[in-house]
Amino acid sequence: MDPLTPTTAATKVFLLDDHEIVRRGLRDLVEAAPDMEVVGESGSAREAARRIPALLPDVAVLDVRLPDGSGIEVCREIRSVDPRIKALILTSYDDEQALVSSVLAGASGYLLKQLSGEGIVAAIRRVAAGEDLSDHPHAKALRDRWAAREEHDPRLKALSPVERRILDLIAEGLTNRQVGDRLHLAEKTVKNYVSSVLSKMGMETRTQAAVYAATHREPHDPPVP
């Protein structure tokens, strides 16, 4: 090749799945694509959260359910460190709540493993190009709801999408453990988020937050899982 001929850099992909056979299959799919390369892989949420920001892939493909955590948590963590890293959630389960949680965590898409290999590669390619594949009615309802509320209380703009969702769940009377189960978060992580919500809203107790959220809902707010 002429050294002066411009070349397009391959899309760098990181794979997270605790099943080695599945991970190997994904790696073969990605590496068979001429415009992609696997720069790292892991079967551990903890290890992936540590390695991904260092390897700086263009797209991280993350399994939801892992022995030591969740791909959704990993997505949230790596994108808080470097939002340039795109994330695709890949799962065997058609779980609507997990889908919404993945959108709130900043994922660009939620795919089922039953999707064809060609479909998975195409999704990675689209996400790497900047497309958002997570246009889901429930996620859109959340965004629209909070956009309307922010107009009435500027403090809400300081809350992250996850903190906003937690505020809603506090208003429903859920405990930290129940919130964690709903959002695929560790109970300790939820506790930290609740503290952050109270601080940003200028409140001292969880009860104040619950009363605020319950009394500031719009009458037409649709139920969100």
Side-chain angles (χ1 to χ4, degrees):
M1 179 182 292
D2 186 332
L4 297 180
T5 301
T7 58
T8 302
T11 296
K12 298 181 291 184
V13 180
F14 187 98
L15 305 174
L16 171 60
D17 197 296
D18 61 316
H19 293 94
E20 184 179 355
I21 293 177
V22 173
R23 205 166 62 243
R24 186 182 304 167
L26 288 171
R27 183 176 66 236
D28 290 346
L29 279 172
V30 172
E31 292 187 336
D35 57 339
M36 295 184 188
E37 64 173 323
V38 174
V39 295
E41 59 181 84
S42 177
S44 160
R46 190 175 297 108
E47 180 186 42
R50 175 178 56 83
R51 295 183 61 205
I52 291 174
L55 291 170
L56 199 61
D58 298 299
V59 181
V61 181
L62 311 171
D63 189 20
V64 169
R65 303 186 183 187
L66 299 158
D68 63 339
S70 161
I72 294 174
E73 290 184 65
V74 174
C75 174
R76 184 178 296 110
E77 187 170 341
I78 63 174
R79 285 187 51 78
S80 68
V81 173
D82 192 335
R84 293 174 299 174
I85 301 173
K86 308 295 184 183
L88 267 175
I89 302 298
L90 188 63
T91 179
S92 302
Y93 308 95
D94 190 5
D95 180 345
E96 195 165 81
Q97 178 55 48
L99 185 154
V100 174
S101 296
S102 70
V103 172
L104 294 177
S108 296
Y110 182 95
L111 306 176
L112 294 177
K113 290 181 180 177
Q114 292 88 331
L115 189 65
S116 69
E118 183 178 332
I120 292 174
V121 170
I124 294 173
R125 191 174 285 123
R126 290 172 63 189
V127 166
E131 289 190 49
D132 186 349
L133 311 183
S134 60
D135 186 17
H136 186 273
H138 283 150
K140 185 178 186 300
L142 280 172
R143 295 189 186 107
D144 291 347
R145 172 187 301 181
W146 279 92
R149 291 181 185 178
E150 286 175 359
E151 293 182 7
H152 301 290
D153 191 337
R155 291 180 299 174
L156 296 173
K157 293 182 179 181
L159 301 184
S160 70
V162 180
E163 290 169 341
R164 296 171 182 180
R165 184 68 181 118
I166 287 175
L167 183 57
D168 274 340
L169 295 177
I170 288 175
E172 293 178 19
L174 272 63
T175 64
N176 285 353
R177 176 172 293 182
Q178 291 170 325
V179 171
D181 290 342
R182 189 78 70 88
L183 299 183
H184 301 271
L185 292 171
E187 187 175 355
K188 183 178 179 181
T189 302
V190 174
K191 183 178 179 180
N192 292 337
Y193 273 122
V194 171
S195 296
S196 177
V197 168
L198 295 178
S199 175
K200 291 179 179 179
M201 295 296 291
M203 298 173 181
E204 296 181 358
T205 68
R206 185 191 186 94
T207 301
Q208 285 179 298
V211 171
Y212 172 88
T215 56
H216 285 74
R217 291 177 183 233
E218 297 293 332
H220 57 277
D221 273 354
V224 179

